[in-house]
């Protein structure tokens, strides 16, 4: 199904974007904090993940994920055909 393939491609693109964002954040953090420890880097990532995740959820919502009843659900190809 073309729609499923398109959704998978979108998910892959967002995963790559998340990885690039994380890598850029780590490199920037190390540049600003020479000699930083791995524990400090891990804490930095832990502190900044919620903001990145919210952006990715916003991008996925309505296209790949549906938010209803207080939770997220994958939009199946059947759901898309009914919409």
């Amino acid at each position: 199904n073309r729609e499923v393939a398109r959704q998978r491609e979108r998910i892959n693109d967002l995963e790559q974007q998340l990885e690039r964002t994380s890598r850029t954040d780590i490199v920037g953090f190390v540049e600003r904090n020479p000699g930083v420890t791995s524990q400090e880097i891990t804490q930095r990532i832990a502190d900044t993940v919620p903001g990145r995740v919210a952006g990715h959820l916003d991008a996925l919502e309505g296209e790949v994920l549906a938010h209803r009843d207080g939770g997220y659900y994958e939009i199946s190809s059947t759901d898309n055909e009914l919409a």
Side-chain angles (χ1 to χ4, degrees):
N1 183 330
R2 245 185 294 180
E3 183 64 26
V4 172
R6 189 182 68 75
Q7 288 177 354
R8 286 185 180 143
E9 183 177 329
R10 177 74 174 141
I11 290 169
N12 187 45
D13 289 347
L14 288 169
E15 287 173 344
Q16 289 176 0
Q17 180 183 351
L18 180 60
E19 182 181 333
R20 282 190 305 271
T21 302
S22 296
R23 291 180 63 171
T24 301
D25 189 35
I26 291 169
V27 171
F29 186 67
V30 171
E31 287 174 348
R32 291 186 305 277
N33 301 280
V36 68
T37 66
S38 61
Q39 183 177 3
E40 292 168 320
I41 294 168
T42 300
Q43 187 60 52
R44 166 67 181 180
I45 297 302
D47 291 345
T48 60
V49 163
R52 287 195 303 265
V53 170
H56 289 293
L57 286 174
D58 287 346
L60 289 167
E61 192 171 335
E63 189 170 332
V64 179
L65 300 176
H67 186 252
R68 63 180 183 270
D69 303 325
Y72 285 93
Y73 300 86
E74 181 180 12
I75 297 174
S76 70
S77 58
T78 305
D79 293 339
N80 287 333
E81 291 168 6
L82 295 175

